[in-house]
Amino acid sequence: SSELAKVNPGDFDPATYRYVDLNSWHYNEMSTENNISWYSAFRSLHRITGKEIYAKAMLETERYLKSVWNEKEKYFYQGSHFVNGTWMPKIEHFATDVQTWSIAKVGPDKMDAWYGEGTSAQIWESTKALAGVRDESGRLLGVGFTRKDGRISIEWTAGAIFAVRTLARHYAEKNPDLAKKMLKDAADMRAGIEPYRFKVSAD
């Protein structure tokens, strides 16, 4: 259109919080989920090789993660956009897997050290409140992809189960009651996705 002709490729429209030219969008997008994956990879490489380049990469990744932390609501933003020479948190979408992946791979010990004891449990509570799917009695069945979309994601619920079991181990000694609560959430979600099990024929 004539309006699009007035902008440069990759220009950012603050009114819609979108890039005008989608061909260049991926060059200006940073994923929190992928950064968490890289964090885990760098940590493994550092343990295996002992090379400080990987420790430095971990620190830089931690710096990014801290830049997308939502202190008020206790969760990580989905990612960042590169706008006018600066990375800005992408605040419009809540990503369930970012939260569970941060618990599982960055670890509750690290996040509690960053933001205070119990923070990683608060991340899970925020995730449940925003993306949890419950039955008519209020029992937790699983989690969806994002805020209250009415769907259970089997993959992301499995990730949530793993994360919550990680929390239970972390708090087992220092907060046994909280650990029991986490194990109940894990058990409820595991039962919640059982009806979706499909038995593959042996034929």
Side-chain angles (χ1 to χ4, degrees), residues 17 75 77-79 81 88-94 147:
Y17 214 76
Y75 66 79
Y77 291 121
Q78 181 269 333
H81 285 308
M88 296 177 58
K90 187 177 178 182
I91 65 175
E92 70 269 37
H93 299 301
F94 174 80
R147 297 177 188 266

Tab-separated table of all heavy atoms in Angstrom, residues 17 75 77-79 81 88-94 147:
chain	number	residue	atom	x	y	z
A	17	TYR	N	2.501	-2.503	17.718
A	17	TYR	CA	3.584	-3.298	18.318
A	17	TYR	C	4.018	-4.431	17.393
A	17	TYR	O	4.312	-5.536	17.806
A	17	TYR	CB	3.161	-3.865	19.686
A	17	TYR	CG	4.311	-3.956	20.667
A	17	TYR	CD1	4.801	-2.820	21.300
A	17	TYR	CD2	4.920	-5.168	20.947
A	17	TYR	CE1	5.849	-2.903	22.199
A	17	TYR	CE2	5.973	-5.260	21.836
A	17	TYR	CZ	6.427	-4.122	22.462
A	17	TYR	OH	7.477	-4.212	23.345
A	75	TYR	N	6.725	-13.275	36.319
A	75	TYR	CA	6.986	-14.191	35.210
A	75	TYR	C	7.909	-13.517	34.203
A	75	TYR	O	8.126	-12.299	34.265
A	75	TYR	CB	5.694	-14.670	34.536
A	75	TYR	CG	4.883	-13.613	33.811
A	75	TYR	CD1	5.234	-13.172	32.538
A	75	TYR	CD2	3.727	-13.085	34.386
A	75	TYR	CE1	4.474	-12.234	31.864
A	75	TYR	CE2	2.964	-12.140	33.726
A	75	TYR	CZ	3.341	-11.714	32.462
A	75	TYR	OH	2.597	-10.774	31.794
A	77	TYR	N	8.856	-12.350	30.366
A	77	TYR	CA	8.208	-12.006	29.106
A	77	TYR	C	8.628	-12.987	28.013
A	77	TYR	O	9.704	-13.581	28.066
A	77	TYR	CB	8.561	-10.589	28.680
A	77	TYR	CG	7.963	-9.515	29.567
A	77	TYR	CD1	8.780	-8.605	30.241
A	77	TYR	CD2	6.590	-9.413	29.730
A	77	TYR	CE1	8.233	-7.619	31.046
A	77	TYR	CE2	6.033	-8.426	30.533
A	77	TYR	CZ	6.862	-7.537	31.194
A	77	TYR	OH	6.323	-6.568	32.006
A	78	GLN	N	7.797	-13.105	27.005
A	78	GLN	CA	8.011	-14.079	25.928
A	78	GLN	C	9.292	-13.817	25.140
A	78	GLN	O	9.939	-14.733	24.663
A	78	GLN	CB	6.801	-14.075	24.977
A	78	GLN	CG	6.886	-15.059	23.827
A	78	GLN	CD	7.522	-14.438	22.601
A	78	GLN	OE1	7.451	-13.217	22.405
A	78	GLN	NE2	8.139	-15.263	21.764
A	79	GLY	N	9.661	-12.544	24.999
A	79	GLY	CA	10.864	-12.229	24.230
A	79	GLY	C	11.118	-10.736	24.202
A	79	GLY	O	10.624	-9.991	25.042
A	81	HIS	N	11.879	-7.265	21.279
A	81	HIS	CA	11.991	-6.672	19.948
A	81	HIS	C	13.171	-5.704	19.946
A	81	HIS	O	13.434	-5.041	20.952
A	81	HIS	CB	10.735	-5.869	19.596
A	81	HIS	CG	9.543	-6.694	19.247
A	81	HIS	ND1	9.555	-7.696	18.305
A	81	HIS	CD2	8.271	-6.640	19.722
A	81	HIS	CE1	8.345	-8.217	18.207
A	81	HIS	NE2	7.556	-7.607	19.057
A	88	MET	N	13.640	-4.205	23.508
A	88	MET	CA	12.509	-3.902	24.374
A	88	MET	C	11.716	-5.174	24.660
A	88	MET	O	11.414	-5.933	23.741
A	88	MET	CB	11.586	-2.869	23.705
A	88	MET	CG	12.231	-1.528	23.475
A	88	MET	SD	11.103	-0.392	22.614
A	88	MET	CE	9.716	-0.360	23.758
A	89	PRO	N	11.375	-5.439	25.925
A	89	PRO	CA	10.594	-6.642	26.250
A	89	PRO	C	9.293	-6.705	25.449
A	89	PRO	O	8.624	-5.688	25.262
A	89	PRO	CB	10.316	-6.483	27.741
A	89	PRO	CG	11.422	-5.626	28.245
A	89	PRO	CD	11.719	-4.663	27.130
A	90	LYS	N	8.998	-7.889	24.994
A	90	LYS	CA	7.757	-8.123	24.246
A	90	LYS	C	6.677	-8.499	25.256
A	90	LYS	O	6.636	-9.630	25.751
A	90	LYS	CB	7.996	-9.249	23.238
A	90	LYS	CG	6.856	-9.503	22.285
A	90	LYS	CD	7.265	-10.588	21.288
A	90	LYS	CE	6.120	-10.901	20.343
A	90	LYS	NZ	6.496	-11.988	19.405
A	91	ILE	N	5.808	-7.557	25.542
A	91	ILE	CA	4.916	-7.700	26.696
A	91	ILE	C	3.510	-8.177	26.354
A	91	ILE	O	2.732	-8.486	27.255
A	91	ILE	CB	4.817	-6.368	27.457
A	91	ILE	CG1	4.142	-5.305	26.579
A	91	ILE	CG2	6.197	-5.902	27.909
A	91	ILE	CD1	3.897	-3.985	27.306
A	92	GLU	N	3.171	-8.267	25.067
A	92	GLU	CA	1.763	-8.491	24.733
A	92	GLU	C	1.312	-9.942	24.873
A	92	GLU	O	0.123	-10.214	24.994
A	92	GLU	CB	1.443	-7.977	23.324
A	92	GLU	CG	2.041	-8.778	22.171
A	92	GLU	CD	3.403	-8.271	21.754
A	92	GLU	OE1	4.175	-7.855	22.646
A	92	GLU	OE2	3.694	-8.300	20.555
A	93	HIS	N	2.234	-10.900	24.850
A	93	HIS	CA	1.841	-12.309	24.927
A	93	HIS	C	2.479	-12.984	26.138
A	93	HIS	O	3.661	-12.772	26.422
A	93	HIS	CB	2.255	-13.063	23.659
A	93	HIS	CG	1.617	-12.536	22.408
A	93	HIS	ND1	0.254	-12.496	22.232
A	93	HIS	CD2	2.160	-12.015	21.279
A	93	HIS	CE1	-0.026	-11.981	21.046
A	93	HIS	NE2	1.118	-11.671	20.447
A	94	PHE	N	1.703	-13.800	26.818
A	94	PHE	CA	2.227	-14.630	27.902
A	94	PHE	C	2.569	-15.999	27.327
A	94	PHE	O	1.752	-16.619	26.645
A	94	PHE	CB	1.187	-14.783	29.015
A	94	PHE	CG	1.611	-15.734	30.104
A	94	PHE	CD1	2.487	-15.325	31.096
A	94	PHE	CD2	1.154	-17.053	30.115
A	94	PHE	CE1	2.898	-16.204	32.089
A	94	PHE	CE2	1.552	-17.930	31.106
A	94	PHE	CZ	2.425	-17.512	32.094
A	147	ARG	N	-2.439	-17.235	27.977
A	147	ARG	CA	-3.488	-16.853	28.910
A	147	ARG	C	-4.828	-17.485	28.543
A	147	ARG	O	-5.291	-17.323	27.418
A	147	ARG	CB	-3.673	-15.333	28.921
A	147	ARG	CG	-2.474	-14.540	29.383
A	147	ARG	CD	-2.759	-13.052	29.266
A	147	ARG	NE	-1.567	-12.256	29.519
A	147	ARG	CZ	-1.260	-11.745	30.708
A	147	ARG	NH1	-2.065	-11.954	31.724
A	147	ARG	NH2	-0.162	-11.035	30.873
